[in-house]
Amino acid sequence: MARGLRFLVLILSVASICDAATFNPISDSHRSAALELFTPTDGSLKSLEETFEALRTFEVLGIDKKSEIKGYTCPTVVDTLWSPSSALKDLFQALRVNGVLKCELNDEVFAGIASRLKDNVKDANSLLDLHYSIGSLKLIKGQTAEVDVHLEDADGIFRAIKALSQSDGRWRFSSNNPESSTYAAGIALETLAGVVALASHDIDQSLMDTLKQDILKLFDGIERYDDGSCYFDEKLVDAQGNWGPVSASSSIVRGLTSFATSTPESLNLPGDRVLCLAKFFLGIGVPGNFKDLYHQIDALASLENNRQVISIPLILSLPSSVLSVTRKDQLKVRVNTVLGSAVPPLSVKLMQIFTSGSKDASIIDQELKFDPETKLHVLDALPENVDVGKYIFTFEILLHDPEHKKIYATGGRTKVSVYVTGVVNIDQAEIAILDSDLGNVETKKRLDLTGENTIALSANHLQKLRLTFQLTTPFGRAFKPHQAFLRLRHENGVEHIFLVRSSGKNFEITLDFLGLVEKFFYLSGGYDIQLTVGDSVMENSFLQPLGYLDLDLPDAPEKAARPPPQPVDFSSKYGPRAEITHIFRSPDKRPPTELSFAFLGLVLLPLGGFLIGLLLLRVNLRNFPSSTLPAFFAISFHIGIAAVLSLYVVFWLKLDLFTTLKALGILGISLMFTGHRTLSHLASTSAKLKSA
């Protein structure tokens, strides 16, 4: 039963249409992940770089953590910026953090850093050194207006960075390193944006035009998925393995938006390129590490917050891609930016509907109604030709204001996978035993596949078993599920599974036992019959026990195949054993009461004789010790004897032998000690009297 249910779960959870994926904007799941991934260790984050990534992620997601982080981070920022030995990367990260937290720093600190950074720009021999130096100068420009951060030889610096570019649009990290990197291209674009922003005069226009051509070459090598998303791949991996498609694509987006912001000229990037990059970052869902989460959120924020230079992508999504014709669900569509912000006035049209696996489309061209309260575009009823099944709905976003077409990227038509589910009708279910020769029906029973069945059938190897039923959709059309299996399970655990084939609405399977005797390993006996019918769009998928079949097969030949060994049922092998019930022997008949009392008298007779003997010997207590310590031992000795006698009585009444022996051992040790001390005292006293 459990194995069949796993089949159903597989059918209901797999099956996707790769060219019509659904992309959803940033949600509360990303906020929860950010709070979990950016967790301070020992009271602070690991580094200033991670601190900035956390601050940037929290800022974009609207999480207020700035005051909490400022308390333990600003001392580190101040120490780093004051220290003359701080590395360029540390200065860059400290300035990025300070740009968010606004730590207490004076212009003297910025002036000293700016002077050092300008010298480093002149002597830099790698892309990263230029990136950290120029990026830091740009950050100082944004944090104070009292420090001169302008670059005098901006054209020369621009050419030095441009010399590291490659013909395919990628960049090298240094002139000594022949390997080119997509991640480095993003860093180079961001650095060149800083050069343009810090230049004391306009950059040579020919250099700007050449750079624009490099950007277009970079987009020529972009990778695409079938679902409409695209990304920049990275073949060069750093020592920590941090570079990949997510970080490389984020670096390109960050560089593009930085460069586009620094120049008044348009990059003329097609809106579909921007939209496919946004789909890539949304398509990765919620990343499992803080680096990828930062790259995802930062890239999406860069795409959304630069509307003057790059088109803002609009994302069409469905609150639910599963619609039930039985419940008469409405088709609802939501349009947001990548961060879930509101959008300008627009309309959504349902243009076409494709059946899964078919190129034929139904032309709909119907506009959805906009609900101002829920901000959703709604289609009250599905088109008449939409029945239970899997479809691809094609939508088109239409902006009301023509000027908004220059600001927002809609990407033309958007394809979305939609699953239309419903309760499938199950009719005319019958199971029968047929004669093998003529096919005459010998036994026929009707089945209720929506309820319980407990039929009992019997057959031999000269007969056949036939199962038939019909499946139709709520609109009366033929329905073919993903799976329809008949399973026969022998009483020793051997299973046989058969595919039930269909012809239109009718499903039928006939088992000829004469041709299946070898497959059944000549095993006669009882077989449980089970039918499994399931589909991801069938709301009433079922795994139904039908009953029991008593099958009589001929004896197996000497060389016939044996049934395979069945898996060990560990629950029966190592599980709790059955409780053992022990029946005790009936107690023996007790002797008469008079005999018991007579025996008690005989037991007490020695004690009486002992007491009488003491009286005849005229025992006295004149030799009883009078000193404190000897008297204590003597009293303890006599109490011990009395305790032993009492123990005998208790043993006779209720105690068992082992408990009595334990107690007797303890009392015996006490008696030996106190008796020895008492007798020693008496012997010493007697010796003193004789000597006197």
Side-chain angles (χ1 to χ4, degrees), residues 409-424:
T410 61
R413 295 188 177 184
T414 303
K415 295 181 178 180
V416 180
S417 299
V418 177
Y419 291 79
V420 180
T421 67
V423 176
V424 174

Side-chain angles (χ1 to χ4, degrees), residues 438-642:
L438 303 177
N440 296 327
V441 177
E442 296 190 2
T443 305
K444 179 191 290 186
K445 296 188 182 253
R446 297 192 64 84
L447 299 172
D448 181 11
L449 297 183
T450 60
E452 295 185 359
N453 296 276
T454 56
I455 64 170
L457 300 173
S458 61
N460 57 42
H461 66 287
L462 299 177
Q463 294 178 313
K464 299 178 182 179
L465 182 143
R466 185 180 67 190
L467 173 68
T468 58
F469 57 92
Q470 287 186 352
L471 296 180
T472 55
T473 67
F475 294 100
R477 301 186 180 98
F479 178 75
K480 185 176 181 180
H482 271 155
Q483 65 175 23
F485 299 121
L486 180 67
R487 185 174 73 169
L488 272 67
R489 179 184 176 89
H490 192 260
E491 55 195 13
N492 68 357
V494 179
E495 290 186 355
H496 306 282
I497 298 177
F498 303 92
L499 177 66
V500 183
R501 301 187 181 277
S502 65
S503 176
K505 300 179 181 179
N506 299 314
F507 286 76
E508 180 177 338
I509 182 173
T510 301
L511 301 181
D512 187 354
F513 295 123
L514 183 60
L516 295 172
V517 288
E518 292 185 1
K519 182 180 178 66
F520 279 66
F521 304 105
Y522 296 89
L523 291 177
S524 299
Y527 286 83
D528 291 325
I529 309 173
Q530 188 179 79
L531 178 63
T532 301
V533 177
D535 194 284
S536 56
V537 297
M538 182 177 174
E539 295 180 5
N540 55 334
S541 298
F542 62 86
L543 191 155
Q544 180 72 258
L546 302 183
Y548 179 84
L549 171 66
D550 185 9
L551 187 59
D552 183 16
L553 299 180
D555 294 336
E558 184 178 350
K559 296 183 179 180
R562 298 298 178 187
Q566 296 305 302
V568 178
D569 186 1
F570 292 101
S571 62
S572 61
K573 184 176 180 180
Y574 300 106
R577 300 297 184 186
E579 183 180 357
I580 299 175
T581 303
H582 184 75
I583 301 176
F584 291 93
R585 187 183 64 179
S586 301
D588 295 333
K589 187 177 180 181
R590 293 180 177 273
T593 306
E594 294 79 4
L595 181 60
S596 299
F597 281 117
F599 182 76
L600 177 61
L602 292 175
V603 171
L604 296 178
L605 184 61
L607 178 60
F610 172 71
L611 296 176
I612 294 172
L614 290 178
L615 294 175
L616 294 176
L617 294 174
R618 297 184 180 181
V619 175
N620 57 68
L621 300 176
R622 286 181 298 176
N623 290 332
F624 199 87
S626 57
S627 302
T628 305
L629 190 58
F632 172 75
F633 286 117
I635 295 172
S636 299
F637 176 70
H638 287 82
I639 292 175
I641 293 175

Side-chain angles (χ1 to χ4, degrees), residues 88 91 110-124 129-130 132-138 140-141 146-153 157 198-200:
L88 287 175
L91 288 174
F110 293 120
I113 297 173
S115 176
R116 176 186 168 188
L117 292 173
K118 287 182 179 181
D119 294 336
N120 286 325
V121 171
K122 298 176 183 178
D123 301 332
D129 288 345
L130 288 167
Y132 293 139
S133 300
I134 294 173
S136 298
L137 288 171
K138 186 179 179 182
I140 292 175
K141 179 181 179 181
E146 304 300 325
V147 179
D148 181 20
V149 293
H150 291 93
L151 300 175
E152 297 298 332
D153 187 19
I157 299 172
L198 298 174
S200 57

Side-chain angles (χ1 to χ4, degrees), residues 293-308:
L293 180 63
Y294 160 72
H295 287 310
Q296 179 195 43
I297 299 301
D298 181 64
L300 292 175
S302 299
L303 291 174
E304 179 162 327
N305 297 327
N306 290 276
R307 62 181 62 194
Q308 290 80 12

